[in-house]
Amino acid sequence: MTGCGAVALRALIGLFHNAFYNGTFSIWYDANVSEGPSRFGDLVLLSPVVGGLVVVFLVQRFAPEAKGHGVPEVMDAVFYRHGNIRGQVAIVKSLASALSIGSGAAVGREGPIIQIGSALGSAFARAIKLSTSQKITLLSAGAGAGIAATFNTPLGGVLFALEILLPEVSNRTFLPVVIATGAATTIGRILIGPDPAFIVPEMQISLAQSLGWQDAIAFIALGILCGVASWAFIRLLEVMEDGFPKLPGNAYTQNIIGMSVIGLMMVVLTHLFGHPYIDGVGYGVIQATLDKEMTSAGLLALLFALKMLATTISLGCGASGGIFSPSLYLGATLGGAFALVVGAILPHASLSAPSAAVVGMAAMVGAGTGGVMTAIVMVFEMTRDYAIIVPVIVGVAVAAGIRRTLIGETIYTIKLRHRGHRIPKERHINLYLVKQAQDIMERRFIVAKAGTTLQQAIDAEDNDDLRAIIVEREGRIVGLIPPRSGLWRESQGNPNLKVERFVESRAVICRDVDLLSLVFARLKRHRSGAAIVFRGVSRPRARDIVGVITKRAIADTVIDSYDD
């Protein structure tokens, strides 16, 4: 299903691109070839504006989840929506993204097909009434299948699902993802063709030789540069997505402002260089850089800056599309410009523009998305040149380290952080980590006022030693007495002791929607026996308490997550 969806999305993009850019009616469009000026001349400025207005209507009217680059919504569905994505998102996302890309928005087609595949997987799982863990598995399989069919990268699709989406790696999750990505890739190869996404000329780096010190310095420096560029990309996208909704007017006027800037960039670049360069997926610029047709370091650096600005503006003002292709574009132009500059400084280094472009592509994707293994394998599959694999590994590792030093969030997770939805950065082996505090908390507990004696707090006829006691003073939480604390026995011999004598020194408090990974970390840090769960976003009061998480409840959840 997702493989066919990827082919259909390409056809839709070709249809809208030919209509908006060439004034023709055709679905055939080779994104790897630069076409030159538009048939409409300077009127092409209006193409992204008109297309953007239709996109805003579709998104606001039918599926708000289709706005933006899609992958954050998929991650949100995995961790906070029990794997549920509405089936209509697949249709709306297809139309909206094809319109955005075809009319000139500087976004990619990978994010959309990831969301489309995820929506198909989730809808299919709901139709046959699968459990939450199975829904999440099929959702992730659809996402991996989408990126595999789009790029003809089956291994990269599998790694994307495992590294970015799945909270558990096991046979029950791995095998469905492998089957889906393999099937989608086969469909893509039958309907689109078996060729790799980009044709890469033979690299100057020989497999028989090891990297010299000049090469090593050059690739490490390129990795550092890509790490800083990834940080800038993430921050600029955050600024645009937060800034455009604050502009005067509504979503339509904000979109007109942003897309007018994109159209103006296209017109100016066409007048100066004969091609708009920054519109759509940008594969033509990537292929030209790999083919050594882009030989000006200044032009490549300019295109890098303008593409970053154009992509963040497009997504900020309401376009629908991905950031994977723009990341490849940014890496290729930055790497190509870097190689041309360094070539004059280190003439004996084997750093050519194509090799640096490939390393830059992998480094930008790996650092920006956090999927380092995905980036390394996908770029290898897209180029099918093993000679460059060691520099790619070095560049990706350095870039990812630099980005993580500058900012902990990826370009996918930073959007969710603003919603208060944090994604675990180190995912483990069990699907219980997608549960929230409210899913496992115990709702039976005792609230006692400070100054209350044990006899007053505990009913003499109630010998239930499994309930926690929460101590409060004038509505404020004083602390927590975990269950099995021995107070029931103590109340028999010393009934006049005050309850506050037994509270833990530092109470662990969490929201009802916090993930268990966060709760576990706090319990471990404070060496606490239980956590107080409250509902709300402000400083909690005693009236906001809705439950208690105990070690017994956690153990039950962990045990229940395992199959027989």
Side-chain angles (χ1 to χ4, degrees):
M1 292 167 62
T2 304
C4 294
V7 175
L9 180 64
R10 283 195 179 201
L12 272 177
I13 293 172
L15 178 67
F16 290 126
H17 171 81
N18 288 322
F20 279 98
Y21 195 79
N22 297 321
T24 58
F25 183 79
S26 173
I27 63 171
W28 305 111
Y29 166 51
D30 188 351
N32 288 41
V33 176
S34 299
E35 295 179 302
S38 168
R39 180 176 296 181
F40 297 114
D42 290 351
L43 289 178
V44 75
L45 183 149
L46 300 176
S47 292
V49 176
V50 174
L53 290 175
V54 180
V55 169
V56 172
F57 170 77
L58 290 173
V59 168
Q60 290 204 327
R61 179 66 177 83
F62 300 105
E65 309 98 304
K67 179 182 177 182
H69 48 105
V71 177
E73 303 301 330
V74 176
M75 298 175 76
D76 199 41
V78 169
F79 287 95
Y80 287 94
R81 298 179 188 172
H82 306 289
N84 293 320
I85 301 178
R86 295 186 299 161
Q88 69 192 64
V89 171
I91 298 174
V92 176
K93 188 69 176 181
S94 299
L95 291 172
S97 297
L99 263 170
S100 290
I101 299 169
S103 62
V107 291
R109 66 189 180 200
E110 296 70 40
I113 195 57
I114 290 170
Q115 193 172 9
I116 291 166
S118 299
L120 291 172
S122 178
F124 182 67
R126 290 199 309 276
I128 58 177
K129 303 186 186 306
L130 297 182
S131 65
T132 296
S133 62
Q134 291 170 321
K135 273 191 294 184
I136 290 173
T137 300
L138 275 191
L139 178 154
S140 302
I147 203 164
T150 300
F151 276 130
N152 193 9
T153 55
L155 291 178
V158 171
L159 285 174
F160 180 87
L162 299 182
E163 200 172 11
I164 303 296
L165 296 177
L166 280 173
E168 173 187 310
V169 179
S170 64
N171 281 342
R172 67 176 179 179
T173 59
F174 179 76
L175 294 179
V177 171
V178 170
I179 293 170
T181 52
T185 305
T186 301
I187 293 294
R189 288 177 177 176
I190 292 172
L191 299 179
I192 300 173
D195 295 329
F198 302 106
I199 305 300
V200 181
E202 184 178 352
M203 297 293 182
Q204 295 181 10
I205 300 174
S206 171
L207 288 173
Q209 71 180 48
S210 60
L211 291 177
W213 68 269
Q214 290 187 353
D215 303 319
I217 291 175
F219 286 119
I220 290 172
L222 178 56
I224 294 173
L225 194 60
C226 289
V228 175
S230 297
W231 164 79
F233 191 24
I234 294 170
R235 282 300 190 193
L236 188 57
L237 180 59
E238 180 186 24
V239 169
M240 294 298 181
E241 289 185 331
D242 291 343
F244 267 96
K246 297 177 182 178
L247 293 178
N250 54 25
Y252 291 96
T253 57
Q254 294 158 6
N255 187 267
I256 289 173
I257 293 172
M259 288 305 169
S260 295
V261 174
I262 303 300
L264 184 61
M265 286 185 186
M266 294 170 61
V267 170
V268 172
L269 286 172
T270 301
H271 279 288
L272 292 177
F273 304 107
H275 193 276
Y277 283 129
I278 53 91
D279 62 315
V281 294
Y283 290 169
V285 172
I286 297 174
Q287 189 61 62
T289 305
L290 296 175
D291 290 339
K292 297 184 180 181
E293 295 176 3
M294 307 283 284
T295 57
S296 170
L299 175 59
L300 287 171
L302 175 65
L303 294 182
F304 166 82
L306 292 180
K307 184 68 172 184
M308 182 180 292
L309 187 62
T311 298
T312 53
I313 288 175
S314 297
L315 293 172
C317 74
S320 178
I323 54 89
F324 210 99
S325 290
S327 295
L328 293 173
Y329 184 113
L330 295 175
T333 52
L334 182 62
F338 177 82
L340 293 172
V341 172
V342 170
I345 302 174
L346 300 174
H348 298 293
S350 57
L351 186 70
S352 64
S355 63
V358 171
V359 173
M361 289 160 65
M364 281 295 296
V365 170
T369 66
V372 292
M373 292 186 293
T374 302
I376 292 170
V377 173
M378 281 194 66
V379 168
F380 167 63
E381 286 187 293
M382 283 190 290
T383 59
R384 300 183 189 175
D385 194 311
Y386 193 75
I388 197 67
I389 194 68
V390 172
V392 164
I393 293 173
V394 172
V396 170
V398 172
I402 293 296
R403 192 273 303 162
R404 291 186 64 175
T405 301
L406 297 174
I407 181 171
E409 302 294 336
T410 69
I411 204 161
Y412 294 148
T413 62
I414 195 164
K415 184 176 182 180
L416 299 178
R417 187 184 69 174
H418 294 319
R419 304 178 190 173
H421 290 185
R422 293 188 176 272
I423 304 299
K425 293 182 176 60
E426 304 297 338
R427 288 194 286 280
H428 305 284
I429 62 170
N430 292 296
L431 277 170
Y432 65 76
L433 288 179
V434 303
K435 291 183 178 293
Q436 300 171 2
Q438 62 187 346
D439 296 329
I440 73 164
M441 69 184 183
E442 296 184 359
R443 303 177 188 274
R444 296 177 66 247
F445 54 90
I446 297 172
V447 178
K449 294 183 179 295
T452 301
T453 65
L454 293 180
Q455 188 176 30
Q456 294 170 328
I458 302 172
D459 187 350
E461 298 181 357
D462 186 359
N463 293 320
D464 185 3
D465 197 19
L466 299 178
R467 283 190 288 171
I469 299 176
I470 298 169
V471 181
E472 59 93 15
R473 179 184 290 113
E474 297 179 354
R476 292 178 299 172
I477 300 171
V478 174
L480 171 74
I481 305 173
R484 298 185 183 277
S485 57
L487 285 193
W488 275 258
R489 292 191 303 272
E490 188 72 30
S491 66
Q492 303 300 317
N494 299 288
N496 294 321
L497 290 177
K498 308 296 184 183
V499 291
E500 58 264 37
R501 288 187 53 182
F502 300 90
V503 300
E504 292 189 341
S505 57
R506 297 186 66 179
V508 174
I509 301 176
C510 63
R511 297 183 304 157
D512 57 344
V513 296
D514 282 341
L515 295 177
L516 289 191
S517 57
L518 177 61
V519 179
F520 290 178
R522 290 178 179 173
L523 288 172
K524 180 181 179 180
R525 185 164 59 248
H526 297 298
R527 297 186 180 277
S528 179
I532 299 171
V533 183
F534 72 98
R535 179 170 291 128
V537 294
S538 59
R539 183 181 294 273
R541 308 275 295 180
R543 63 177 180 271
D544 301 320
I545 298 172
V546 293
V548 176
I549 291 181
T550 64
K551 290 184 177 180
R552 180 186 62 181
I554 293 172
D556 290 342
T557 302
V558 173
I559 293 170
D560 291 340
S561 70
Y562 282 91
D563 290 332
D564 293 333

